[in-house]
Amino acid sequence: MRKTNWLLLGLALVLSMFLVACSGGGDNNADGGNSEGNTEEKNESEGNEGSEGAEGEPSGEQVLNITDSAEIPTMDPSMATDAVAFQWLGSTMDGLYRLGENAKLEPAIAKSHEQSEDALTWTFKLREDATWENGDPVTAHDFVYAWQRAVNPDTGSEYGPYMMNGVIKNAEAISKGEMPVDKLGVTAEDDYTLKVELEKPIPYFLSLTAFGTFLPLNQDFVEKQGDKFALEADTILANGPFKMTEWKHEEGWTLEKNKDYWDAENVNLEKINVKVVKETSTRVNLYDSGEIDAAALSGEFVQQKAGSEELKTEEEPVLFYLKMNQQHEVLGNVNARKAIQSVINREDLVNVILANGSLPAVGDIPQNFAKHPESGKDFREINGPLVEHNVEKAQEHWKKALEELGKDKVELELLGGDSEVAKEMDAYLKNQLEQLEGLTVNVKPVPFKERLRLDTEMEYELQNSGWGPDYIDPNTFLNMWVTDGGNNKTGYSNEEYDALIEKANNELALEPVKRFETFLEAEKMLIKEDAVLAPLYQRAVAKLWKPYVKGVITNPMGPDYTYKYAYIDKE
């Protein structure tokens, strides 16, 4: 997720977001998309390390005060591509399933499901006590409408086709305008029975039902709002734990407990107040003064708070990298891209600039994310580092690139974020890149929403971007880069790479070992041979959180945090 899915997909503690699924958002990551999941910045609405083992019980005023480093681009599930949007969609809405502790799926609108023997047909039985905040029942028809809307080319969704094409029956033909939307493989058998037909067996399909693009929509409400749908607090309709009651654009928003939620008795927080704060120093001051309950840190602030019992660090399966637009004359040259990969010192980047526990990234799959189905060995350990910091080698590649291009000087623009940490990061990258002889880098800082637009339109040269997973499978990272992929905003196209991803997701869909090994091969081609990306770091979050905040769950995909079970215990 643009974490553009997750996307991300930047920082506030990171800096440029999973643009999906995820993608890569504010302080959520996304490229993304989760688009890059899912995300490019990490949502700063950080919480504790999860509700597992949480002690105590709610006491005192049940109000959580937190920050985010970017505005929510949209609250429309069909149009969301970044981690900020998916965070707050996940807080205000329920899909068929949602993520609970340890990323375990738990029933939401679905009570149960059955899968056909050939794994192509899934039947979901829905609960009959779920309602929208206006009192309308949540039915199977709401899912049919939402999914059809997401792949309807008239909607203009990025994530609908990206998440559903090749997954839901007929989605691709519909998204291309070759088939009517009512042919999509999703049917309301009755008000509370939803049948989904797949194009092929999808090993990770059930986890998709917890992702924002697959949320239901109330058709009457959406159509009544028209172009204003999901752009203001009063044009949003919740069916989840919280509902948005105030949205001051670029300043913040307020969520209140949804008293009509089907599981309201297990929701403790009465209110969540979110402020948009882009400067780390401001967040720390607000935290120290007791105005907010959590604060993401980086660099010197991590060092200042070292030793505090309120400082927590957690590793996440979210990657950041330099995207390189291959439509640009220079960046279309593989030696130029390899030079950029090699010249950056990732160790200093994570230890000095971020200093929050983040790890140097050396591929397109994060560590501790995907395990070999037989040996259990980590994907990252098997493939090893696919990039290295080697300035001498970088200069050799760069010299060769300039000779091939007939140039002795090059000027490139680096698209980055406008938060404090993003600016520090981009200044560091400029310094590193300008070690290449004859290269000048001009940094262009823009607000997160504008960066998403420029990425979508491919109006960039270099871009600090990221991606968080939209589901738990290597495909969520590797499928992005197929020719003309919805989130492949690099201009990269390689028939051999496309064939590997196609094979993994079709011929080998039910052969987990061969499928995993095909993904290993694809990653080597993407990073080592074709140098499509310059990996930077795998995100970790260093944050302060008040000890009275309990029960917040950290997620590896979709919303960065689940607040459904959170509570305040000040006794």
Short mmCIF file of all heavy atoms in Angstrom, two decimals, residues 76-79 145-158 160-161 181 217:
data_model
loop_
_atom_site.label_atom_id
_atom_site.label_comp_id
_atom_site.label_asym_id
_atom_site.label_seq_id
_atom_site.Cartn_x
_atom_site.Cartn_y
_atom_site.Cartn_z
N ASP A 76 -12.73 7.55 0.69
CA ASP A 76 -13.46 6.70 -0.25
C ASP A 76 -12.68 5.41 -0.43
O ASP A 76 -11.57 5.42 -0.97
CB ASP A 76 -13.59 7.43 -1.58
CG ASP A 76 -14.42 6.67 -2.62
OD1 ASP A 76 -14.60 5.45 -2.45
OD2 ASP A 76 -14.85 7.29 -3.60
N PRO A 77 -13.21 4.26 -0.01
CA PRO A 77 -12.47 2.99 -0.13
C PRO A 77 -12.07 2.66 -1.57
O PRO A 77 -11.04 2.02 -1.79
CB PRO A 77 -13.46 1.95 0.41
CG PRO A 77 -14.38 2.71 1.29
CD PRO A 77 -14.51 4.06 0.66
N SER A 78 -12.86 3.11 -2.54
CA SER A 78 -12.53 2.82 -3.94
C SER A 78 -11.36 3.65 -4.43
O SER A 78 -10.65 3.25 -5.35
CB SER A 78 -13.74 3.09 -4.84
OG SER A 78 -14.85 2.31 -4.48
N MET A 79 -11.15 4.82 -3.81
CA MET A 79 -10.12 5.74 -4.29
C MET A 79 -8.87 5.77 -3.43
O MET A 79 -7.86 6.33 -3.82
CB MET A 79 -10.70 7.16 -4.40
CG MET A 79 -11.94 7.25 -5.28
SD MET A 79 -11.68 6.59 -6.96
CE MET A 79 -10.58 7.84 -7.61
N TYR A 145 -22.11 -3.81 -4.52
CA TYR A 145 -22.02 -2.45 -5.06
C TYR A 145 -20.61 -1.89 -4.95
O TYR A 145 -20.06 -1.33 -5.91
CB TYR A 145 -23.00 -1.53 -4.33
CG TYR A 145 -22.80 -0.07 -4.63
CD1 TYR A 145 -23.10 0.44 -5.89
CD2 TYR A 145 -22.29 0.80 -3.67
CE1 TYR A 145 -22.89 1.78 -6.18
CE2 TYR A 145 -22.09 2.14 -3.95
CZ TYR A 145 -22.39 2.63 -5.21
OH TYR A 145 -22.18 3.96 -5.50
N ALA A 146 -19.99 -2.05 -3.78
CA ALA A 146 -18.66 -1.47 -3.54
C ALA A 146 -17.62 -2.11 -4.45
O ALA A 146 -16.77 -1.41 -5.03
CB ALA A 146 -18.27 -1.66 -2.09
N TRP A 147 -17.65 -3.43 -4.59
CA TRP A 147 -16.64 -4.10 -5.41
C TRP A 147 -16.84 -3.78 -6.89
O TRP A 147 -15.87 -3.59 -7.62
CB TRP A 147 -16.66 -5.60 -5.15
CG TRP A 147 -16.28 -5.98 -3.75
CD1 TRP A 147 -16.21 -5.16 -2.66
CD2 TRP A 147 -15.94 -7.28 -3.29
NE1 TRP A 147 -15.84 -5.87 -1.54
CE2 TRP A 147 -15.67 -7.18 -1.88
CE3 TRP A 147 -15.85 -8.54 -3.89
CZ2 TRP A 147 -15.31 -8.28 -1.11
CZ3 TRP A 147 -15.49 -9.64 -3.12
CH2 TRP A 147 -15.22 -9.51 -1.74
N GLN A 148 -18.09 -3.73 -7.32
CA GLN A 148 -18.36 -3.35 -8.71
C GLN A 148 -17.89 -1.92 -8.97
O GLN A 148 -17.29 -1.62 -10.01
CB GLN A 148 -19.85 -3.48 -9.03
CG GLN A 148 -20.36 -4.91 -9.12
CD GLN A 148 -21.85 -4.97 -9.41
OE1 GLN A 148 -22.57 -3.96 -9.37
NE2 GLN A 148 -22.35 -6.16 -9.73
N ARG A 149 -18.16 -1.04 -8.03
CA ARG A 149 -17.74 0.36 -8.17
C ARG A 149 -16.23 0.48 -8.27
O ARG A 149 -15.70 1.30 -9.03
CB ARG A 149 -18.26 1.16 -6.98
CG ARG A 149 -17.93 2.65 -6.99
CD ARG A 149 -18.62 3.32 -5.80
NE ARG A 149 -18.38 4.75 -5.74
CZ ARG A 149 -17.40 5.32 -5.04
NH1 ARG A 149 -16.56 4.55 -4.34
NH2 ARG A 149 -17.26 6.62 -5.02
N ALA A 150 -15.52 -0.35 -7.51
CA ALA A 150 -14.06 -0.26 -7.48
C ALA A 150 -13.42 -0.65 -8.81
O ALA A 150 -12.34 -0.15 -9.14
CB ALA A 150 -13.50 -1.13 -6.36
N VAL A 151 -14.04 -1.56 -9.56
CA VAL A 151 -13.46 -1.98 -10.84
C VAL A 151 -14.12 -1.30 -12.03
O VAL A 151 -13.66 -1.47 -13.17
CB VAL A 151 -13.51 -3.52 -11.02
CG1 VAL A 151 -12.68 -4.20 -9.98
CG2 VAL A 151 -14.95 -4.03 -11.00
N ASN A 152 -15.17 -0.54 -11.80
CA ASN A 152 -15.83 0.18 -12.88
C ASN A 152 -14.88 1.25 -13.42
O ASN A 152 -14.45 2.13 -12.68
CB ASN A 152 -17.11 0.84 -12.35
CG ASN A 152 -17.96 1.46 -13.44
OD1 ASN A 152 -17.45 1.85 -14.50
ND2 ASN A 152 -19.24 1.58 -13.19
N PRO A 153 -14.54 1.22 -14.71
CA PRO A 153 -13.59 2.22 -15.22
C PRO A 153 -14.08 3.64 -15.07
O PRO A 153 -13.27 4.57 -15.03
CB PRO A 153 -13.43 1.83 -16.71
CG PRO A 153 -14.61 0.95 -17.02
CD PRO A 153 -14.97 0.26 -15.75
N ASP A 154 -15.39 3.85 -14.95
CA ASP A 154 -15.92 5.20 -14.77
C ASP A 154 -15.56 5.78 -13.40
O ASP A 154 -15.55 7.00 -13.22
CB ASP A 154 -17.45 5.20 -14.93
CG ASP A 154 -17.89 4.89 -16.35
OD1 ASP A 154 -17.07 5.05 -17.27
OD2 ASP A 154 -19.05 4.48 -16.53
N THR A 155 -15.26 4.91 -12.44
CA THR A 155 -14.90 5.36 -11.09
C THR A 155 -13.50 5.95 -11.07
O THR A 155 -13.22 6.90 -10.35
CB THR A 155 -15.00 4.19 -10.09
OG1 THR A 155 -16.32 3.66 -10.12
CG2 THR A 155 -14.66 4.65 -8.68
N GLY A 156 -12.60 5.37 -11.85
CA GLY A 156 -11.22 5.86 -11.89
C GLY A 156 -10.38 5.40 -10.72
O GLY A 156 -9.40 6.06 -10.35
N SER A 157 -10.73 4.26 -10.14
CA SER A 157 -9.97 3.73 -9.00
C SER A 157 -8.65 3.13 -9.46
O SER A 157 -8.58 2.44 -10.47
CB SER A 157 -10.80 2.65 -8.29
OG SER A 157 -10.04 1.94 -7.35
N GLU A 158 -7.59 3.40 -8.69
CA GLU A 158 -6.31 2.72 -8.94
C GLU A 158 -6.30 1.35 -8.30
O GLU A 158 -5.88 0.36 -8.89
CB GLU A 158 -5.15 3.53 -8.33
CG GLU A 158 -4.71 4.74 -9.11
CD GLU A 158 -3.46 5.35 -8.51
OE1 GLU A 158 -2.50 4.59 -8.21
OE2 GLU A 158 -3.43 6.58 -8.30
N GLY A 160 -8.85 -0.55 -7.14
CA GLY A 160 -9.85 -1.55 -7.52
C GLY A 160 -9.28 -2.54 -8.53
O GLY A 160 -9.19 -3.75 -8.25
N PRO A 161 -8.86 -2.07 -9.69
CA PRO A 161 -8.24 -2.98 -10.66
C PRO A 161 -6.97 -3.64 -10.14
O PRO A 161 -6.72 -4.81 -10.39
CB PRO A 161 -7.94 -2.06 -11.86
CG PRO A 161 -8.95 -0.96 -11.73
CD PRO A 161 -9.10 -0.74 -10.26
N VAL A 181 -20.29 -4.17 -15.55
CA VAL A 181 -19.88 -4.37 -14.16
C VAL A 181 -20.70 -5.45 -13.46
O VAL A 181 -20.22 -6.08 -12.51
CB VAL A 181 -19.98 -3.06 -13.35
CG1 VAL A 181 -18.97 -2.05 -13.85
CG2 VAL A 181 -21.38 -2.49 -13.39
N LEU A 217 -20.07 -0.50 0.76
CA LEU A 217 -20.55 0.86 0.64
C LEU A 217 -22.07 0.87 0.56
O LEU A 217 -22.67 -0.01 -0.08
CB LEU A 217 -19.97 1.54 -0.61
CG LEU A 217 -18.49 1.92 -0.59
CD1 LEU A 217 -18.04 2.36 -1.98
CD2 LEU A 217 -18.21 3.00 0.44
#
